[in-house]
Amino acid sequence: MAKKRMFNQEVVRSDEFLDLPQSSQLLYFHFGMIADDDGIVASVERELRYLGFGTRDDLKILLDKSFIDFTTDGKLVFIIHWLKNNNLRVDRYSQTTFKEARKELEAKGYQFKNKTFGTTSGIPKDTQGAATDKEKEEGKGKGKGKGIEEDVESDTDSLLSDYFNTFTNLAIKNNKLREAVKIEFIKLPTFQKEQAVTGAKNYSVWYKREKIDDPTGKFSVNAVKFISGDKETFDDFQTLPTSEPQNRKAGGYI
């Protein structure tokens, strides 16, 4: 299980989160640190005793505000925005040992790594679960004149084109690349598609700047591996690096 955890500002700086009691906010952060790699927290009662703060009231508040959910038996907590906070690389990810709990949560419409499930209120749950203020506002204008599925498909096509064009501008074109990219790209929830485009653009700028001995991008990372590989994925390039990332390893040909 990964030892480092992250928290997305869109979640923990949202109005809904900042309006929570301080004890509820602190409990959420602690749960975020002790959850397994699928966002599941076990032995909740024991953790409350160990931490020395937090009550069932705090749990109910987090549940009511859609920051956590419970399994049917009430013994396990699931952090709804888990993948929005933490999108672990393949080589650092270990699937939860609570297999039945994961199946139950999947059936409720929650998403896990490399999984795609239902929607809520016309806004894709992706893996972040409940929509933030920004997502709710953006969702209001959708569905006018066309169905939600068309909106989602249109957004996906646009993001896929941005991603694909970024890589083909970086390196030699390959007629089979778009199909290969599409297979992996459509597996991503919406917010990760956006992150993939951001990462691709930052990677392209970085590669051209740092790898001046490869002006054609011949040895740049493969566009498919950039989505699903365990080295140099889009997670590593959400900001433009100032120096060469750790674990640098030449990718395949594009």
Side-chain angles (χ1 to χ4, degrees), residues 119-123 139 148:
T119 62
T120 179
S121 301
I123 302 174
I148 292 167

Side-chain angles (χ1 to χ4, degrees), residues 56-85:
R56 278 284 167 181
D57 286 339
D58 289 309
L59 293 174
K60 186 176 187 306
I61 289 170
L62 289 169
L63 175 66
D64 291 344
K65 296 298 183 180
S66 298
F67 286 99
I68 66 171
D69 203 347
F70 287 91
T71 51
T72 302
D73 60 14
K75 294 180 179 179
L76 302 176
V77 163
F78 172 63
I79 300 174
I80 292 176
H81 297 83
W82 180 253
L83 277 188
K84 192 159 191 176
N85 288 334

Side-chain angles (χ1 to χ4, degrees), residues 41-158:
V41 181
S43 305
V44 176
E45 292 290 350
R46 183 190 67 193
E47 292 297 339
L48 291 178
R49 292 194 300 270
Y50 175 79
L51 292 171
F53 70 89
T55 65
R56 278 284 167 181
D57 286 339
D58 289 309
L59 293 174
K60 186 176 187 306
I61 289 170
L62 289 169
L63 175 66
D64 291 344
K65 296 298 183 180
S66 298
F67 286 99
I68 66 171
D69 203 347
F70 287 91
T71 51
T72 302
D73 60 14
K75 294 180 179 179
L76 302 176
V77 163
F78 172 63
I79 300 174
I80 292 176
H81 297 83
W82 180 253
L83 277 188
K84 192 159 191 176
N85 288 334
N86 294 276
N87 182 27
L88 300 176
R89 282 171 29 171
V90 175
D91 59 332
R92 297 174 183 170
Y93 166 76
S94 297
Q95 191 178 97
T96 184
T97 57
F98 300 104
K99 308 297 185 185
E100 291 304 314
R102 174 166 163 159
K103 288 180 181 179
E104 178 188 324
L105 291 163
E106 287 173 352
K108 293 175 73 172
Y110 295 116
Q111 295 183 358
F112 291 83
K113 194 168 182 67
N114 297 327
K115 290 278 187 176
T116 301
F117 290 92
T119 62
T120 179
S121 301
I123 302 174
K125 266 192 175 181
D126 299 328
T127 40
Q128 69 267 44
T132 60
D133 289 341
K134 180 180 177 182
E135 289 163 341
K136 289 174 182 175
E137 189 63 31
E138 289 174 347
K140 289 179 182 177
K142 292 195 172 185
K144 295 180 179 179
K146 58 182 178 177
I148 292 167
E149 287 107 0
E150 291 182 59
D151 281 322
V152 173
E153 289 175 4
S154 177
D155 289 345
T156 296
D157 288 343
S158 176

Side-chain angles (χ1 to χ4, degrees), residues 8-245:
N8 193 303
Q9 286 189 1
E10 289 185 18
V11 178
V12 299
R13 296 296 297 172
S14 65
D15 289 343
E16 290 98 331
F17 188 83
L18 295 176
D19 286 341
L20 297 177
Q22 290 184 355
S23 57
S24 301
Q25 293 184 34
L26 187 56
L27 190 59
Y28 180 84
F29 283 117
H30 274 278
F31 278 176
M33 292 303 300
I34 62 179
D36 65 22
D37 289 351
D38 277 324
I40 295 175
V41 181
S43 305
V44 176
E45 292 290 350
R46 183 190 67 193
E47 292 297 339
L48 291 178
R49 292 194 300 270
Y50 175 79
L51 292 171
F53 70 89
T55 65
R56 278 284 167 181
D57 286 339
D58 289 309
L59 293 174
K60 186 176 187 306
I61 289 170
L62 289 169
L63 175 66
D64 291 344
K65 296 298 183 180
S66 298
F67 286 99
I68 66 171
D69 203 347
F70 287 91
T71 51
T72 302
D73 60 14
K75 294 180 179 179
L76 302 176
V77 163
F78 172 63
I79 300 174
I80 292 176
H81 297 83
W82 180 253
L83 277 188
K84 192 159 191 176
N85 288 334
N86 294 276
N87 182 27
L88 300 176
R89 282 171 29 171
V90 175
D91 59 332
R92 297 174 183 170
Y93 166 76
S94 297
Q95 191 178 97
T96 184
T97 57
F98 300 104
K99 308 297 185 185
E100 291 304 314
R102 174 166 163 159
K103 288 180 181 179
E104 178 188 324
L105 291 163
E106 287 173 352
K108 293 175 73 172
Y110 295 116
Q111 295 183 358
F112 291 83
K113 194 168 182 67
N114 297 327
K115 290 278 187 176
T116 301
F117 290 92
T119 62
T120 179
S121 301
I123 302 174
K125 266 192 175 181
D126 299 328
T127 40
Q128 69 267 44
T132 60
D133 289 341
K134 180 180 177 182
E135 289 163 341
K136 289 174 182 175
E137 189 63 31
E138 289 174 347
K140 289 179 182 177
K142 292 195 172 185
K144 295 180 179 179
K146 58 182 178 177
I148 292 167
E149 287 107 0
E150 291 182 59
D151 281 322
V152 173
E153 289 175 4
S154 177
D155 289 345
T156 296
D157 288 343
S158 176
L159 291 169
L160 174 60
S161 294
D162 283 348
Y163 183 85
F164 179 77
N165 290 337
T166 299
F167 269 98
T168 51
N169 287 335
L170 172 64
I172 300 170
K173 293 184 179 181
N174 182 324
N175 292 332
K176 296 182 179 180
L177 176 62
R178 186 179 180 87
E179 275 308 308
V181 168
K182 186 175 181 180
I183 291 171
E184 295 300 324
F185 196 84
I186 60 176
K187 295 178 183 177
L188 300 174
T190 303
F191 80 95
Q192 286 185 328
K193 291 185 178 78
E194 294 170 350
Q195 290 177 347
V197 172
T198 297
K201 291 179 178 178
N202 284 334
Y203 176 79
S204 178
V205 171
W206 172 83
Y207 197 90
K208 290 176 180 177
R209 184 188 69 199
E210 299 292 325
K211 307 299 176 182
I212 56 177
D213 57 337
D214 182 26
T216 63
K218 182 178 181 181
F219 296 103
S220 62
V221 68
N222 183 284
V224 177
K225 291 182 179 179
F226 196 66
I227 297 174
S228 58
D230 60 359
K231 302 291 183 183
E232 284 190 346
T233 65
F234 63 83
D235 292 330
D236 301 316
F237 289 88
Q238 288 308 291
T239 57
L240 183 62
T242 56
S243 61
E244 186 163 300

